[in-house]
Amino acid sequence: MQTITESAAPAAPRARSTKKVVLITLAVILGCAGIAAATGGLWVKHTFYPSPITPVSLTAAEKAEFDSKLQTLGNPAAIPADEVNRTLLISEREVNAYLAQQQLGENVEVKFGEGTVSAAVIFTAPEDFPVFPNQKIRLRFTFGTSLTPEHKLSLKLDDLSLGGISLPNSWIGDIKGVDLVAENVESDPALQKFLAGIKSLEIHNGTLRLALNK
């Protein structure tokens, strides 16, 4: 009887296949490491070596309109008594342009969210700062803003973050949740007078809406 001998499958293709998988895996790992390093470098540069913020500049028509709003805030009694004309819509663009006029445009940028105001601030940390003293850094402050049931303006610090990382409350003097307006209004007659003129306040994405008292 003739015996049929089965030949063993060649091992070379499997070896090549295994080598290919290993090389692909190594390439993916090195690629991810490169992306992480690049991202980390961008994070460090953005946070600790920040470029100046680009100041906002209004057109002539926008500036005239905003100047009119500022005059209204300075003398609300001079405008008509109807509700429509006593309501001001102020955009974050106008606020940032005002900061630029005060020579702050390269270091402060304000954004309006739903019920919140946030500000990116570039500054050199003082010697007693809890992290990175004497280092130029970019921080972001986020405030919750509303009118209290007693019809008083409330401005509470919700968060203070460094490079997107929220700093512990104990590092910043336990001021998260503290009403910063209430802390200062009693000692500042000018602030009391200004707040007394506000009937309602709403903050939405990109816009601050103020209704003024008669």
Side-chain angles (χ1 to χ4, degrees):
M1 179 180 296
Q2 186 177 3
T3 303
I4 300 176
T5 304
E6 295 182 358
S7 60
R14 179 176 296 178
R16 285 197 296 270
S17 177
T18 302
K19 183 179 180 181
K20 183 177 180 181
V21 170
V22 171
L23 289 175
I24 291 174
T25 303
L26 182 60
V28 170
I29 292 174
L30 291 175
C32 291
I35 292 172
T39 303
L42 290 174
W43 183 88
V44 169
K45 184 179 184 303
H46 179 80
T47 305
F48 298 106
Y49 303 95
S51 300
I53 298 168
T54 303
V56 175
S57 179
L58 300 178
T59 65
E62 290 173 332
K63 188 176 185 306
E65 182 179 355
F66 183 54
D67 287 344
S68 176
K69 295 175 184 179
L70 291 178
Q71 292 175 5
T72 298
L73 285 173
N75 186 20
I79 62 176
D82 62 281
E83 193 73 22
V84 174
N85 287 325
R86 301 189 72 82
T87 299
L88 300 178
L89 294 178
I90 299 175
S91 70
E92 64 184 33
R93 175 176 165 79
E94 290 172 325
V95 172
N96 287 315
Y98 178 79
L99 292 173
Q101 291 177 12
Q102 308 305 312
Q103 308 303 313
L104 296 172
E106 292 188 346
N107 297 306
V108 182
E109 181 182 38
V110 170
K111 289 186 177 298
F112 294 144
E114 286 297 321
T116 64
V117 177
S118 66
V121 180
I122 298 174
F123 78 114
T124 300
E127 291 185 359
D128 58 350
F129 200 68
V131 290
F132 309 108
N134 299 315
Q135 172 68 44
K136 187 177 182 180
I137 56 178
R138 181 195 301 265
L139 292 173
R140 179 167 292 278
F141 298 80
T142 302
F143 299 93
T145 308
S146 64
L147 285 178
T148 68
E150 294 78 22
H151 207 71
K152 294 181 179 180
L153 182 64
S154 174
L155 184 68
K156 295 182 179 180
L157 179 66
D158 288 341
D159 192 30
L160 175 56
S161 60
L162 174 70
I165 301 172
S166 178
L167 298 180
N169 197 21
S170 60
W171 287 13
I172 55 176
D174 296 314
I175 62 173
K176 289 184 182 180
V178 175
D179 192 333
L180 303 180
V181 172
E183 290 285 313
N184 295 281
V185 67
E186 293 183 0
S187 60
D188 191 337
L191 183 58
Q192 290 182 34
K193 185 176 180 180
F194 175 76
L195 295 178
I198 298 176
K199 181 179 181 181
S200 66
L201 176 149
E202 297 176 10
I203 297 178
H204 302 290
N205 288 327
T207 306
L208 168 66
R209 182 182 183 276
L210 283 176
L212 306 180
N213 283 318
K214 296 178 180 180

